[in-house]
Amino acid sequence: MDQKHYKQLLDVTFHVQKSTIDKVLGKSDHPVPALQRLVQDYKATRSAAH
Amino acid sequence: MIAARVEALHKHKLDGFTCGDGDLDDWLHRKAKPMGGDGLNRTHLWIEDQTDQIIGYFALAPCFAENEIGQSYPSILLAKLALHQDLRGNKPRLGPLLIAAAFETALRGADLVGGRFLAVDAMTQKNVDFYLGMDFEVVQEPKADDEPTRLLIKLSTLRKSFQA
């Protein structure tokens, strides 16, 4: 097993520039069309049990 | 179109699954259970209804995104994701649907314990473009060829798209 696979999971804190985080936080929460299409396709595959 | 469901790891024998990537197969066969048992992450299986076979898996892990002034945001990392090798290239493409299953599971976790962001790691530019198309933002560029690009999206944005 590649050590990087472990590092990815053990480094639970990762560093991001404040300006980048602020940019993500500043985005509106409107539904994203591409994401909505993906979700619609996915929901069609879900078991009836869901 | 397939019909499938997400199930917990412990309910299934894992030996028969192969995605064609040795590291990801080894992860599922040997590491997912002990690391999950230690609480480091949780692996979920994507099970096809008709065959009851594992057709994919993904692992989610708790993490924190922290900026240079010490502000820390609880987040969820989509740490592993693999589709059975026999299903690669299928139409419709199943990889994105597996990713959507991971998104939905991450949202369920966030509904229970909170969380600001979902983080994903993309190993190829094609995958980076896939996530950018869904409004993720690149937050870490790779420092070497074998390192991923990390991207973030607000879980609240993800939730809106599931509710719409």
Side-chain angles (χ1 to χ4, degrees), chain B:
Chain B
M1 179 62 75
I2 64 155
R5 61 193 187 275
V6 174
E7 287 198 348
L9 192 65
H10 61 82
K11 293 182 178 178
H12 293 269
K13 290 185 177 178
L14 308 174
D15 299 348
F17 179 86
T18 179
C19 69
D21 178 310
D23 283 341
L24 287 170
D25 286 343
D26 187 57
W27 162 265
L28 182 66
H29 298 155
R30 299 196 308 116
K31 303 299 179 188
K33 279 183 181 174
M35 290 191 84
D38 288 342
L40 296 171
N41 54 74
R42 195 69 78 208
T43 299
H44 305 268
L45 305 176
W46 204 30
I47 306 294
E48 184 178 19
D49 285 349
Q50 192 174 0
T51 62
D52 254 1
Q53 296 296 306
I54 304 169
I55 56 174
Y57 80 86
F58 57 87
L60 299 169
C63 63
F64 289 91
E66 186 177 86
N67 64 24
E68 64 271 26
I69 62 169
Q71 292 171 317
S72 191
Y73 300 87
S75 304
I76 297 171
L77 172 66
L78 174 53
K80 307 285 176 205
L81 185 134
L83 184 69
H84 196 289
Q85 65 177 4
D86 291 348
L87 299 174
R88 286 186 179 179
N90 270 25
K91 299 285 183 182
R93 291 175 59 225
L94 297 179
L97 302 179
L98 176 58
I99 290 171
F103 288 172
E104 184 179 50
T105 305
L107 283 172
R108 286 184 178 156
D111 285 343
L112 294 172
V113 301
R116 203 75 172 93
F117 300 114
L118 176 71
V120 298
D121 286 339
M123 289 302 298
T124 66
Q125 187 58 47
K126 184 180 175 186
N127 288 347
V128 171
D129 291 342
F130 172 79
Y131 287 118
L132 289 175
M134 292 189 294
D135 216 24
F136 281 69
E137 194 73 30
V138 172
V139 296
Q140 281 184 348
E141 298 280 0
K143 296 183 180 69
D145 287 345
D146 61 346
E147 287 188 3
T149 300
R150 180 157 290 182
L151 302 97
L152 280 188
I153 192 171
K154 283 192 293 185
L155 282 158
S156 53
T157 300
L158 210 52
R159 187 174 289 107
K160 281 281 183 188
S161 294
F162 269 84
Q163 291 170 340

Side-chain angles (χ1 to χ4, degrees), chain A:
Chain A
M1 172 67 65
D2 184 351
Q3 289 301 311
K4 284 183 178 174
H5 282 256
Y6 287 113
K7 188 174 185 302
Q8 178 201 32
L9 287 167
L10 297 176
D11 288 350
V12 293
T13 297
F14 62 97
H15 299 279
V16 181
Q17 289 289 319
K18 183 176 185 301
S19 57
T20 307
I21 283 192
D22 288 347
K23 183 178 178 184
V24 179
L25 286 171
K27 289 187 176 186
S28 72
D29 280 336
H30 293 304
V32 180
L35 198 46
Q36 279 184 277
R37 286 194 294 276
L38 175 65
V39 169
Q40 284 172 357
D41 290 345
Y42 164 65
K43 286 181 176 176
T45 72
R46 285 192 308 196
S47 306
H50 265 81

